[in-house]
Amino acid sequence: MVKISDVARKAGVSVSTVSRILNQDESFSASTDTVKKVHDAVDQLGYKPLRRRSTSPRKTTKPRIALAITISKEGENSDPYWTSIRMGIEAKAKEHGMIIERLVRLDHTLSEEEIGEFDGAIVMGSVKPESLEAIGFQRSKTVMINNMTYDVKGYDCVSSDLYDATVKILRYLKKNGHQRIGFIGGVDWVKDLTFRTNISADDMRMKAFADYMIREGIYNQHDIYIGNWTTSDGHRLMKEALDKESMPSAFLVASDPMSMGVLHAIRESGLRVPEDVSIISYDDIEAAAYLDPPLSSVRLYTEEVGKQAVNLLVDRLKGREVPVKTTIQSQLVARKSHGPYNRERSDGQ
């Protein structure tokens, strides 16, 4: 089967250029010669875009959408963050009378044939935009969630305000006497579907942390611990910090599941939270309020993220041409896992 990448190679242009020419993207400017090369390549190779409309009658007039997820099934089930976003998508789609006809896992074995035909799509997770176009996704009919690492011009995008939230927390901790602050988090893996690989990138929380700490002149790369987004890695990374001669008086931990492991490691060491070390996390999952001590966490309103993604897609399908980026504000839910800097600590700053 001829793929869009074959057409791009034949015409001597990028996959993105082929996609935008064939989709008649009015925001894209290409020379007459380039357009001719692309159409000649299509004719010579016999390429048939997957998004062509079937001539057979449709069984329903309801919009049919695809939900494309970069996270594995196991990863989604183990992290309430993703589960909550998906719940918001499903609830709002039902409210609008939309049918989620296809669930696509954007893994390394994905083929064009698996995508099928749909009216619009919502993509959960970080993915390189150009590689989406290579398998038939259209900018004007695709909404991205949580794709903050790559430039997503031309696409609607919904994300949480992780950068601003992180800066606010750091200011708050510094105001409360904490000068040495650590960070525990994970890598943001951006999928490149064209080359079937993952590209590592700094998570937005990590980027905001580094920017702020450098600006304030208190950045210390030895107080940054990066691993997998799991409870076990939260435990492992915290033990690494505890094994050093001294450590920060406060930590930002990039997710609640990681924080569970962090709290367990601190208890094992005989230290106390927040008397010896303060912990502030992200997500505010249901379990956060019932940990020992109850976890201070940034509520990301993930279900609302999913709902707004559907609203943007509905608006796009109605004809809106201008791409929109929506940022959902977060809120720190203060509990008992953080407090002011304890000057009597012997091992910190």
Side-chain angles (χ1 to χ4, degrees):
M1 175 179 161
V2 179
K3 299 180 180 180
I4 193 171
S5 55
D6 298 323
V7 175
R9 195 177 303 109
K10 179 78 173 176
V13 298
S14 68
V15 168
S16 175
T17 296
V18 174
S19 174
R20 298 180 76 173
I21 288 174
L22 295 183
N23 289 322
Q24 298 181 342
D25 187 341
E26 295 180 0
S27 66
F28 180 67
S29 177
S31 68
T32 302
D33 183 53
T34 299
V35 173
K36 184 178 185 304
K37 285 181 179 179
V38 168
H39 285 293
D40 286 347
V42 168
D43 293 339
Q44 292 169 21
L45 296 174
Y47 174 69
K48 296 180 179 179
L50 288 174
R51 292 301 161 262
R52 63 187 185 280
R53 287 294 174 193
S54 171
T55 55
S56 58
R58 287 178 56 167
K59 295 180 179 180
T60 178
T61 57
K62 294 181 178 180
R64 299 173 300 168
I65 65 174
L67 179 56
I69 305 177
T70 64
I71 305 91
S72 68
K73 184 176 181 180
E74 295 73 21
E76 183 188 359
N77 290 338
S78 64
D79 192 339
Y81 174 86
W82 297 109
T83 304
S84 180
I85 290 177
R86 187 167 170 183
M87 287 174 59
I89 292 172
E90 293 173 347
K92 185 58 70 170
K94 183 177 181 181
E95 183 180 315
H96 281 291
M98 307 177 86
I99 299 174
I100 300 178
E101 187 167 275
R102 189 172 297 273
L103 173 64
V104 180
R105 295 281 174 188
L106 297 176
D107 57 27
H108 292 174
T109 61
L110 185 69
S111 66
E112 291 185 69
E113 294 90 338
E114 290 179 86
I115 301 299
E117 183 183 305
F118 48 84
D119 295 299
I122 295 175
V123 179
M124 288 173 53
S126 296
V127 57
K128 198 172 181 180
E130 305 93 285
S131 65
L132 280 174
E133 296 171 31
I135 52 174
F137 286 80
Q138 297 180 41
R139 294 186 181 210
S140 62
K141 298 180 180 179
T142 301
V143 178
M144 292 188 175
I145 292 176
N146 205 44
N147 198 320
M148 297 168 289
T149 305
Y150 272 80
D151 187 358
V152 291
K153 289 182 179 178
Y155 286 93
D156 283 8
C157 183
V158 185
S159 61
S160 298
D161 65 340
L162 293 176
Y163 191 100
D164 290 345
T166 299
V167 170
K168 288 177 183 177
I169 292 171
L170 291 168
R171 286 174 179 163
Y172 171 74
L173 288 172
K174 193 168 182 290
K175 184 178 179 180
N176 279 271
H178 296 279
Q179 290 291 319
R180 187 175 173 188
I181 305 168
F183 182 88
I184 295 176
V187 175
D188 187 6
W189 291 103
V190 182
K191 288 189 175 293
D192 186 333
L193 305 175
T194 303
F195 296 100
R196 301 186 184 279
T197 187
N198 291 331
I199 305 166
S200 63
D202 285 341
D203 169 69
M204 191 58 65
R205 286 154 284 207
M206 171 60 211
K207 186 178 187 309
F209 177 86
D211 287 350
Y212 177 85
M213 299 296 277
I214 291 171
R215 210 162 44 237
E216 294 295 314
I218 53 176
Y219 178 80
N220 185 346
Q221 64 177 357
H222 300 296
D223 291 333
I224 296 173
Y225 302 85
I226 303 297
N228 296 316
W229 298 91
T230 62
T231 300
S232 60
D233 250 28
H235 181 269
R236 177 181 66 80
L237 295 171
M238 190 66 226
K239 284 184 69 68
E240 286 185 21
L242 290 163
D243 286 341
K244 294 182 178 179
E245 290 185 5
S246 66
M247 69 173 193
S249 62
F251 279 90
L252 291 190
V253 185
S255 76
D256 287 351
M258 293 189 83
S259 292
M260 293 179 186
V262 166
L263 291 176
H264 185 57
I266 294 172
R267 282 197 301 271
E268 287 178 331
S269 74
L271 295 180
R272 301 164 299 165
V273 175
E275 292 85 353
D276 298 311
V277 57
S278 287
I279 302 295
I280 296 182
S281 185
Y282 296 79
D283 293 347
D284 192 35
I285 63 176
E286 185 177 2
Y290 302 99
L291 296 176
D292 183 22
L295 184 62
S296 297
S297 187
V298 178
R299 183 172 296 168
L300 299 179
Y301 299 103
T302 45
E303 192 166 339
E304 188 62 31
V305 169
K307 290 179 179 179
Q308 289 303 318
V310 175
N311 286 338
L312 286 179
L313 183 56
V314 169
D315 200 26
R316 270 292 208 176
L317 296 180
K318 287 181 178 178
R320 173 171 52 81
E321 296 181 357
V322 179
V324 172
K325 181 176 181 180
T326 299
T327 302
I328 306 299
Q329 293 186 359
S330 59
Q331 176 185 359
L332 174 62
V333 180
R335 297 190 178 98
K336 297 183 178 180
S337 68
H338 79 283
Y341 173 58
N342 182 358
R343 297 184 180 280
E344 295 180 1
R345 292 177 68 243
S346 60
D347 62 332
Q349 306 167 61

